[in-house]
């Protein structure tokens, strides 16, 4: 226990001194007692603005993730370069699938943000879920397990399917106008 000394302001040479004993955590008790009133005033004065995440930030996060995938794919290729399979691995869509799936499972699969999104202070969250969304976008409920699985299937699986389709189109000669009319039309649709 600490003591506090109060000095009364009286005119003249005589002063009355009184000593009041206060507990050591008096400031904590006072802060806890005032917290509900402070929170009520804070909410009444400035309600939380609607959360707006810029689309350009999301695109930048995706680009950072793509760069990380490419760096990891290069490292993966260097590991296998002495065995002579490096040329195949570098252009293989399966290699890219493996690296992107690894990044996705270790980040979003565990309920965290992707590395690019983390750098930009973003993460995936469920806007439909009940609860406080927070002011910054980091707060609030994350994606549920079915949402994370669907997101992984659409993003990682979608990129793999698109690269496989591109490889198939080149092998079938769709890019050459002298091939079948349907192949040329499919190539034009893919390029759009």
């Amino acid at each position: 226990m600490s003591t506090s000394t109060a000095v009364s302001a009286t005119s003249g040479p005589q002063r009355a001194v009184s000593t009041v004993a206060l507990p050591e955590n008096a400031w904590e008790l006072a802060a806890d007692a005032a917290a509900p009133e402070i929170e009520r005033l804070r909410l009444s004065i400035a309600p939380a603005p609607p959360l707006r995440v810029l689309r350009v930030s999301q695109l930048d996060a995706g680009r950072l993730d793509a760069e990380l995938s490419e760096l990891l794919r290069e490292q993966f290729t260097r590991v296998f370069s002495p065995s002579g399979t490096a040329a195949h691995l570098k252009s293989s869509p399966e290699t890219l699938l493996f690296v992107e799936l690894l990044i996705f499972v270790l980040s979003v699969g565990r309920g965290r943000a992707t590395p690019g999104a983390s750098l930009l202070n973003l993460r995936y969250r469920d806007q439909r879920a009940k609860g406080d969304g927070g002011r910054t976008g980091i707060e609030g409920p994350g994606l549920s397990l079915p949402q994370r699985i669907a997101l992984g299937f659409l993003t990682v699986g979608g990129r793999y399917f698109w690269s496989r389709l591109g490889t198939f189109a080149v092998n079938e000669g769709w890019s050459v106008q002298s091939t079948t009319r349907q192949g040329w039309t499919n190539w034009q649709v893919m390029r759009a």
Side-chain angles (χ1 to χ4, degrees):
M1 286 222 162
S2 66
T3 58
S4 173
T5 304
V7 178
S8 64
T10 59
S11 60
Q14 292 184 343
R15 292 182 171 175
V17 176
S18 65
T19 303
V20 178
L22 296 174
E24 285 186 24
N25 63 345
W27 66 272
E28 292 173 339
L29 296 173
D32 290 342
E37 182 66 17
I38 292 170
E39 183 65 19
R40 185 188 65 76
L41 289 172
R42 186 184 68 80
L43 291 175
S44 68
I45 293 171
L51 178 65
R52 293 185 184 197
V53 177
L54 296 176
R55 180 69 179 143
V56 71
S57 295
Q58 295 171 353
L59 292 173
D60 287 344
R63 188 67 201 146
L64 287 169
D65 290 334
E67 291 293 328
L68 177 67
S69 296
E70 187 59 35
L71 286 172
L72 289 175
R73 184 168 73 165
E74 286 176 14
Q75 294 297 321
F76 187 73
T77 303
R78 283 186 191 160
V79 168
F80 291 104
S81 65
S83 66
T85 59
H88 174 68
L89 287 175
K90 188 168 186 152
S91 62
S92 172
E94 286 77 18
T95 305
L96 187 59
L97 172 70
F98 173 74
V99 170
E100 287 183 351
L101 190 61
L102 183 69
I103 292 171
F104 186 85
V105 167
L106 293 177
S107 58
V108 178
R110 292 185 174 183
R112 300 184 198 137
T114 61
S118 291
L119 287 172
L120 295 173
N121 203 23
L122 301 172
R123 76 175 179 104
Y124 292 107
R125 49 184 242 163
D126 188 2
Q127 291 291 101
R128 297 173 296 149
K130 301 287 186 206
D132 182 23
R135 296 176 72 96
T136 65
I138 294 297
E139 299 93 1
L143 296 178
S144 65
L145 183 61
Q147 288 173 325
R148 290 191 305 242
I149 291 171
L151 180 66
F153 182 73
L154 291 174
T155 58
V156 176
R159 281 192 291 262
Y160 173 72
F161 172 75
W162 190 254
S163 66
R164 265 290 161 210
L165 182 62
T167 304
F168 176 77
V170 169
N171 290 340
E172 291 296 313
W174 288 1
S175 62
V176 181
Q177 193 169 7
S178 63
T179 61
T180 65
R181 179 83 177 135
Q182 183 63 40
W184 177 251
T185 305
N186 291 343
W187 180 257
Q188 293 303 318
V189 169
M190 285 179 59
R191 291 187 57 203

